[in-house]
Amino acid sequence: MNYGISVTRRRRQAGNNSLEVALVLLPFMALTLAIIDFSMPLFLKSTFTHAVREGCRFGITYNLTYNGTTYTSQTAVIKAVVQANAMGFLAGASGASKITVAYYSPVSPFSKLNGTGANSGGNILMVSVGGYAWNWIAPLWRTSTPLTLTAVSADRLESLPAGSSVPTP
């Protein structure tokens, strides 16, 4: 039995483990970052789409109270609903600035309405999120241009029952 050969063979192969880990770990980490980098914008788009839909659904109820807080205008409460459903990605004043609430005439030329009565029954309520920039974790092709995400939802405002008044838009 020659034990000296197997001991020297093990010593020569000892460096192979670290080399194999390096060769496997590098592509694995690149693949993991790529999955995160490509899936996060899809997740954000889905989240923002859900948030604006919820804001639009809430807006057609003409309710000014959300989560125990009473707001002064319909636009303010809709923005609060969108922020609450955006999982913290649109938090604060900077997040609220990316949310747009607009009212449109339902007949051609579909002009944007402002002021008192803009949210009257029959008009179109449009809630949108725009200008949210997603910066890539590992930019490909040597670009650092962020991806800009938007989401839009619209619905028709129904008429209120007799004796009810339309809130401030």
Side-chain angles (χ1 to χ4, degrees):
M1 291 211 229
N2 190 352
Y3 293 105
I5 294 174
S6 64
V7 170
T8 56
R9 183 179 294 161
R10 274 188 241 142
R11 278 190 204 135
R12 279 187 285 160
Q13 293 178 355
N16 289 348
N17 291 340
S18 58
L19 179 64
E20 288 171 3
V21 167
L23 290 175
V24 169
L25 195 59
L26 187 64
F28 179 72
M29 291 304 292
L31 182 64
T32 303
L33 284 175
I35 289 170
I36 293 169
D37 226 8
F38 288 117
S39 64
M40 192 62 179
L42 296 173
F43 170 74
L44 287 171
K45 175 74 172 182
S46 174
T47 300
F48 294 158
T49 300
H50 168 73
V52 295
R53 284 179 181 166
E54 288 300 315
C56 209
R57 285 182 189 152
F58 193 86
I60 62 173
T61 66
Y62 294 100
N63 195 349
L64 293 179
T65 303
Y66 180 69
N67 281 345
T69 304
T70 302
Y71 294 86
T72 57
S73 70
Q74 189 174 8
T75 299
V77 72
I78 291 171
K79 283 187 175 190
V81 170
V82 172
Q83 281 185 310
N85 285 285
M87 299 179 68
F89 291 107
L90 297 174
S94 64
S97 69
K98 293 175 176 44
I99 303 168
T100 305
V101 179
Y103 304 93
Y104 290 93
S105 170
V107 294
S108 185
F110 308 108
S111 58
K112 187 174 180 179
L113 304 171
N114 296 312
T116 306
N119 58 341
S120 297
N123 290 344
I124 307 297
L125 167 66
M126 187 182 83
V127 182
S128 62
V129 171
Y132 188 88
W134 167 254
N135 292 313
W136 300 103
I137 295 171
L140 298 177
W141 300 289
R142 307 262 191 252
T143 181
S144 60
T145 306
L147 180 65
T148 304
L149 300 169
T150 60
V152 180
S153 182
D155 202 350
R156 182 176 175 266
L157 294 164
E158 296 297 328
S159 299
L160 286 171
S164 301
S165 60
V166 175
T168 305

